[in-house]
Amino acid sequence: MTTLVMKFGGAALGTSAGLAQVLAIIADELENWDQLLVVVSALDGVTDSLLDAAHFARIDHPRGYRRIAANLRTRHLALIDQLPLDRPDRNTLQADIDQLISGLLDDCLAIANNLNEELSPIHSDTVVAVGERLSARIIAALLRQNNIRGVAVDGADVLITDDVHGNANPEIVPTAQRVNSVLMPILQRDMIPVVTGFIGATADGVTTTLGRGGTDFTASVLSALIGADELWIWTDVDGIMSADPRQQRQARVIPRLSYNEAADIAYFGARILHARMIAPLAEAHLPLRVKNIFAPAQSGTLVASGEGDAIPVLKAVTSIQGLSLRRPTSGSLAGVTRLVGNTLFKTLGMRSEVLIASQSANSSFICLVIPTSIGIDGVDRLQRALQAKMAEYPEKMPWEIDRVSLVTAIGGGLHQAPRLMSRVLEQMDGIEIFGMALGASNCSVTVALADKDSREAVTRIHDLIIKSDSDSA
Ligand code: ASP
Ligand code: MG
């Protein structure tokens, strides 16, 4: 029995051309595997709009969230108009969409009136989850219309999580039970579950979400639990790249990565994969492929364990924004890290990590990585919260809070290859390095530097990657 899980991201689903590709890919792979399971994101941009709607609800601005709901309705109806559906199917789907949109308006109203405790300000997950609920129904209908037996499945019925709203973590034991009772029967009847990614529910049934980009995480957890042979992530780029292609014109697809390398690439800034998705795959030794829906014949990137993992080689460079706390005079970090940790958790309602803490004779330095799941204004929010917190504890001052960039060079075996490591650092010639850390998984080195130097540092490390590629070719 062979089983493939395929995840389709928002960029792949946004247009009728994309959907035609999705359909063709599913039909093709149906021939090659005994069982298929599909996991889908919301259409491109929909989650952002829903987050805005939740925000308008919180500030009790009905015109704002009504406008968003109306736009979402129009967009989804326009999309299904372009699909080859017959009348009864189209009518059912329209009714489903209308029902989801009216539920969205009810939830926004409940947040605005603070009527429903479950929808308190940080619990806007029910609103945000509508995006995936809409897209899963559309894909399932499209499959059925083409004589493929697709069934939309709500992730909240399968994925049981803790109650960290906005960044929840799946709980494996109850989720495994749901997988057995909800998903396995569908697979055994030769049907294709089309599962909403990104959303889950607490044991009490309150909707949660797994953090931005969380559909990847849903796909990896479910792949491991159903014992899939492979997971393929379909997107609109050719695979995982050696650097952000918008910044580095020479960026190229990386054909193969180890699990650790892929996790570090995701963790340190590339948004192509959800950072926490790799662990379940690594544990199950389950290969992951990242492929382009518009070029399905290309092999994309394969993430798996393999022979060559110990050979030191540089594969990618990433950059991510962070904040630093610097104490110009010497002093202890004790107490401050706890203060920072509490502020992170309380203000942003999330898990976070202090990535680099270093102390030298005349200054102390803490550097924080901000998970992208908290949104683009996250760094600002955190900076304000920290400033306020520090002001409450003048005895622990003076700390200067600044923005920094973390630039990370990633490649297996880097830590055992001092010469390679020193070549990376040589590239930083003339750039001030505030702090440095080796990744826990043996395959990355991160430097903290001023925002203004980040682009240059990335370019120089990327040049080194390109050069060592051509040296070894
Ligand atoms: N739709 C969600 C987001 O935009 C989840 C995902 O796309 O994976 O973050
Ligand atoms: Mg994504």
Side-chain angles (χ1 to χ4, degrees):
M1 180 72 85
T2 57
T3 308
L4 174 66
V5 175
M6 294 199 281
K7 175 254 173 172
F8 294 95
L13 302 172
T15 59
S16 56
L19 285 177
Q21 282 303 109
V22 170
L23 179 62
I25 288 166
I26 294 176
D28 269 356
E29 296 311 327
L30 203 52
E31 304 292 311
N32 300 331
W33 304 79
D34 297 321
Q35 295 184 326
L36 287 187
L37 181 133
V38 168
V39 184
V40 295
S41 298
L43 310 189
D44 215 9
V46 167
T47 305
D48 290 328
S49 305
L50 289 166
L51 284 166
D52 289 344
H55 173 73
F56 282 127
R58 253 175 253 139
I59 60 170
D60 195 9
H61 189 312
R63 263 208 303 182
Y65 63 73
R66 282 193 202 129
R67 195 191 60 234
I68 290 174
N71 287 342
L72 288 176
R73 179 174 180 275
T74 314
R75 179 166 171 203
H76 286 86
L77 290 180
L79 184 66
I80 64 168
D81 263 349
Q82 295 166 34
L83 300 179
L85 298 173
D86 59 24
R87 186 160 287 278
D89 267 353
R90 188 182 308 276
N91 290 346
T92 320
L93 198 51
Q94 271 172 6
D96 279 353
I97 292 175
D98 279 332
Q99 199 187 356
L100 284 164
I101 298 286
S102 90
L104 167 67
L105 286 168
D106 291 345
D107 288 342
C108 286
L109 191 65
I111 293 180
N113 295 340
N114 220 342
L115 288 178
N116 183 343
E117 273 232 347
E118 282 173 4
L119 290 174
S120 73
I122 47 165
H123 296 184
S124 53
D125 288 343
T126 320
V127 168
V128 183
V130 169
E132 273 70 15
R133 290 180 168 146
L134 287 163
S135 64
R137 282 176 173 72
I138 294 176
I139 306 294
L142 185 65
L143 294 181
R144 284 195 300 270
Q145 181 70 43
N146 289 276
N147 299 321
I148 300 173
R149 302 169 67 209
V151 195
V153 175
D154 197 313
D157 293 332
V158 183
L159 214 79
I160 306 303
T161 72
D162 60 17
D163 61 359
V164 182
H165 286 272
N167 202 19
N169 242 318
E171 289 182 343
I172 295 308
V173 175
T175 303
Q177 283 163 0
R178 295 295 181 94
V179 163
N180 283 333
S181 61
V182 179
L183 287 182
M184 292 320 259
I186 302 177
L187 289 168
Q188 280 149 10
R189 296 209 311 271
D190 277 339
M191 300 198 285
I192 303 182
V194 180
V195 186
T196 60
F198 180 53
I199 62 186
T202 62
D204 304 334
V206 183
T207 300
T208 53
T209 58
L210 307 182
R212 298 308 306 270
T215 303
D216 296 341
F217 199 12
T218 304
S220 87
V221 169
L222 296 183
S223 300
L225 288 177
I226 66 170
D229 296 284
E230 290 194 18
L231 166 60
W232 295 4
I233 289 199
W234 290 95
T235 166
D236 63 347
V237 294
D238 287 338
I240 300 177
M241 312 282 285
S242 54
D244 183 344
R246 285 163 308 181
Q247 286 187 12
Q248 302 296 321
R249 277 225 318 276
Q250 298 200 63
R252 53 179 78 167
V253 175
I254 310 168
R256 227 196 67 85
L257 288 167
S258 69
Y259 293 112
N260 284 339
E261 289 167 339
D264 275 2
I265 288 177
Y267 193 76
F268 290 106
R271 290 179 189 216
I272 189 159
L273 295 179
H274 186 284
R276 282 179 284 147
M277 77 165 300
I278 298 295
L281 300 179
E283 221 169 280
H285 297 285
L286 210 153
L288 163 71
R289 285 177 199 280
V290 179
K291 288 167 71 78
N292 186 345
I293 56 156
F294 296 108
Q298 283 177 26
S299 43
T301 299
L302 169 66
V303 180
S305 34
E307 304 275 291
D309 287 356
I311 302 169
V313 56
L314 269 188
K315 291 189 181 168
V317 55
T318 59
S319 74
I320 192 170
Q321 256 219 330
L323 285 179
S324 73
L325 279 72
R326 252 193 296 182
R327 186 181 173 115
T329 54
S330 68
S332 153
L333 291 174
V336 172
T337 36
R338 173 120 51 88
L339 200 68
V340 168
N342 287 345
T343 310
L344 284 184
F345 194 78
K346 287 213 187 94
T347 16
L348 305 170
M350 60 164 198
R351 291 177 205 87
S352 194
E353 275 159 74
V354 172
L355 184 81
I356 299 178
S358 74
Q359 199 162 9
S360 57
N362 56 3
S363 72
S364 309
F365 179 83
I366 302 177
C367 182
L368 310 167
V369 176
I370 319 296
T372 49
S373 59
I374 68 169
I376 38 180
D377 64 338
V379 177
D380 289 328
R381 278 156 60 209
L382 186 59
Q383 186 162 6
R384 282 195 301 271
L386 281 173
Q387 259 144 0
K389 197 77 197 163
M390 292 290 173
E392 277 176 41
Y393 294 91
E395 75 282 5
K396 295 210 196 301
M397 293 299 276
W399 285 86
E400 284 165 13
I401 303 174
D402 274 314
R403 284 174 182 254
V404 284
S405 282
L406 298 182
V407 171
T408 303
I410 297 149
L414 196 55
H415 298 188
Q416 282 84 40
R419 205 172 307 151
L420 188 56
M421 184 92 79
S422 72
R423 285 178 72 194
V424 173
L425 294 176
E426 264 166 35
Q427 300 297 309
M428 301 299 101
D429 199 23
I431 294 176
E432 188 187 357
I433 294 178
F434 304 146
M436 199 180 114
L438 300 180
S441 56
N442 239 350
C443 62
S444 65
V445 53
T446 300
V447 290
L449 33 80
D451 265 0
K452 67 169 177 40
D453 292 329
S454 143
R455 182 74 160 253
E456 175 66 19
V458 168
T459 304
R460 291 194 204 163
I461 296 175
H462 196 250
D463 288 347
L464 189 63
I465 296 175
I466 302 273
K467 194 173 167 297
S468 42
D469 269 8
S470 48
D471 285 354
S472 60

